[in-house]
Amino acid sequence: LVHSRPDLLRKINDRQVLNLIRQKSPISRTEIARELKIALPTVSRIVDSFLERGWLQSVGAGDSTGGRPPTLVELKADSRGAIGVEIGRGSVRIVYTDLLADVLLNDERPIEEVEGPNGLVRYIQGFIEYHRLKHESIVGIGIAAPGPLDPSEGLLFTQNLRGEWLDKPITKIVSNHLGLPCCVSNDADAAALAESWFGKGESFDSVLFILADTGIGAGLVIQGSIWSGEHHLAGDFAHMIVNLDEDNETCFCGRRGCVNAYASLPAIEQAVVRRGKLDKHLPWYEVIERARHGHSPELEVMNTAARYLATAIVNMVDVVDPGIVILGGRNTLHADNFFFDLVQGSIEGLVPNAKAEIAVTGFGVDAVSVGAASLVLQSIYDHMYVVDSQ
Ligand SMILES: [Zn+2]
């Protein structure tokens, strides 16, 4: 295959070289040739081409073993960037990252003000103009949204968004209007991708990302690629049944005892109302604050939520056997990761010698939007991506 397709081979080599430079900056051409087992003249041609186009820069000389010291090259991380868009249930968040997925700029708007794909085009256009981003320095636009969705057609189907977002080819609309490549993925999948390439999952072969927010979701990345499943539903574990007791909670899906009915933010708010003597409806962040200070019934509600989410995670880990499990979402992160600590404690109680590492995302509330940007960044570093897309 590769021998008959010189253009494909060139694309594969380009990405392998750029990715190695990303990981090992600064590095010499000789070292790149040795690590990737690509002939030195080929490496030099690729490096020179990236230097010419401004992706790389030369830096001081490396160690010399006699003769002329080799020139080192490094990634010019701010020479270009990616736009990542998180379409959330309540808001739309935009980030602009450099080539290492570091967030340089961000913005957020209530979702009612964005009004569907055409409104999103206007929002991104305004963001680009306000920050005076040069069109040629934007590698592309990644979008992450709650599932289910169809990445190849760029369609969103989720019942979590209003009708104006649904059944419209969002990637085509954004790409045609803004003249930039655009792709879409499930929110937890995108966050898992960011962790795998640029975050705490970098040194692991597989990453499971758990998003605990208005909804509960999981994303799985195996060897640098999202595993979205045959019907793009992999990791959709919100309705995994974790409680079979008589008095279990009814979920909005119609089943009983789903993890979503305990650990999602609306479920937490409702549980406090049901258990409490309070007349008023406390927002989830106040529930977490009160739980942190030991108040009842908020602490019991958060403990129950943590125990059931931990149960679902342990079940997932048994099936998938990931290297690391990373938690994100507002429930996880609020009040110094209060809920994360409860979940971690519950997991340790259930499985005292778990093999998989458990961590909280290092991207904070940007995990999904950086994930969206990393959909774009993957396309410039991942040589398997170019093979798959042929
Ligand atoms: Zn359910």
Side-chain angles (χ1 to χ4, degrees):
L1 170 84
V2 165
H3 289 293
S4 63
R5 300 287 304 272
D7 57 323
L8 176 60
L9 180 60
R10 202 175 309 125
K11 284 180 185 170
I12 292 171
N13 285 342
D14 281 0
R15 280 163 182 73
Q16 284 190 305
V17 167
L18 195 63
N19 194 41
L20 186 69
I21 295 170
R22 171 182 78 89
Q23 292 170 311
K24 304 216 164 157
S25 278
I27 186 170
S28 72
R29 291 166 176 80
T30 318
E31 220 178 318
I32 297 168
R34 194 171 51 229
E35 286 240 8
L36 297 177
K37 301 184 174 62
I38 299 175
L40 184 58
T42 307
V43 167
S44 283
R45 187 176 42 73
I46 294 169
V47 168
D48 289 343
S49 165
F50 277 123
L51 274 168
E52 239 166 67
R53 288 177 290 148
W55 289 79
L56 307 176
Q57 58 196 9
S58 295
V59 284
D63 287 340
S64 173
T65 48
R68 201 161 60 94
T71 313
L72 303 180
V73 289
E74 69 178 14
L75 188 69
K76 221 169 147 186
D78 61 357
S79 64
R80 282 165 182 77
I83 289 181
V85 178
E86 174 186 13
I87 301 173
R89 287 161 173 90
S91 63
V92 176
R93 191 173 179 83
I94 302 187
V95 297
Y96 178 72
T97 76
D98 67 9
L99 294 175
L100 295 172
D102 285 330
V103 175
L104 305 179
L105 307 163
N106 63 50
D107 197 59
E108 189 166 351
R109 248 178 224 183
I111 194 156
E112 305 79 50
E113 289 177 20
V114 181
E115 296 174 328
N118 288 309
L120 182 62
V121 168
R122 288 190 293 276
Y123 184 20
I124 299 172
Q125 180 77 51
F127 180 86
I128 291 171
E129 281 166 11
Y130 180 81
H131 293 293
R132 297 189 180 147
L133 297 175
K134 283 197 223 102
H135 192 269
E136 59 273 20
S137 66
I138 304 168
V139 182
I141 300 167
I143 298 174
L149 50 79
D150 178 351
S152 53
E153 296 294 322
L155 298 174
L156 312 182
F157 306 119
T158 174
Q159 53 192 346
N160 297 301
L161 295 175
R162 292 208 319 216
E164 69 242 32
W165 290 96
L166 308 183
D167 296 322
K168 289 181 188 133
I170 193 164
T171 50
K172 282 195 195 89
I173 294 171
V174 169
S175 168
N176 288 344
H177 280 88
L178 299 175
L180 290 163
C182 180
C183 48
V184 67
S185 165
N186 169 271
D187 48 10
D189 285 348
L193 190 70
E195 295 290 353
S196 170
W197 280 84
F198 307 103
K200 291 182 178 173
E202 258 188 305
S203 56
F204 296 91
D205 223 27
S206 53
V207 175
L208 180 65
F209 190 94
I210 307 288
L211 194 62
D213 204 284
T214 308
I216 301 286
L220 180 62
V221 167
I222 301 169
Q223 291 175 342
S225 295
I226 291 172
W227 172 251
S228 61
E230 197 72 35
H231 309 97
H232 312 296
L233 293 171
D236 192 0
F237 81 131
H239 305 285
M240 180 187 277
I241 294 170
V242 287
N243 185 358
L244 293 171
D245 290 345
E246 292 278 303
D247 62 343
N248 57 9
E249 300 289 358
T250 303
C251 180
F252 72 82
C253 75
R255 297 205 300 222
R256 300 180 65 88
C258 302
V259 63
N260 182 80
Y262 295 95
S264 65
L265 294 176
I268 284 166
E269 291 177 354
Q270 286 154 23
V272 171
V273 172
R274 265 196 309 275
R275 290 200 202 190
K277 296 150 238 139
L278 299 163
D279 300 328
K280 63 172 182 161
H281 190 94
L282 282 184
W284 61 268
Y285 45 89
E286 283 185 34
V287 174
I288 296 175
E289 288 294 347
R290 285 181 56 84
R292 185 157 72 142
H293 291 100
H295 291 292
S296 192
E298 289 84 355
L299 182 57
E300 291 78 18
V301 165
M302 294 310 292
N303 271 325
T304 304
R307 206 170 67 241
Y308 286 122
L309 183 59
T311 305
I313 291 172
V314 167
N315 291 341
M316 289 268 285
V317 166
D318 278 351
V319 176
V320 171
D321 185 25
I324 185 167
V325 182
I326 302 173
L327 275 74
R330 289 175 299 169
N331 192 4
T332 306
L333 300 166
H334 192 72
D336 296 329
N337 310 337
F338 174 76
F339 184 63
F340 171 76
D341 292 340
L342 294 183
V343 174
Q344 191 178 32
S346 290
I347 291 174
E348 281 161 9
L350 289 164
V351 189
N353 300 306
K355 284 197 183 71
E357 206 169 295
I358 310 283
V360 69
T361 180
F363 295 115
V365 291
D366 284 329
V368 173
S369 48
V370 171
S374 65
L375 294 168
V376 174
L377 297 175
Q378 182 193 14
S379 73
I380 61 175
Y381 295 124
D382 187 355
H383 67 283
M384 289 311 292
Y385 189 92
V386 58
V387 175
D388 290 343
S389 62
Q390 289 291 305

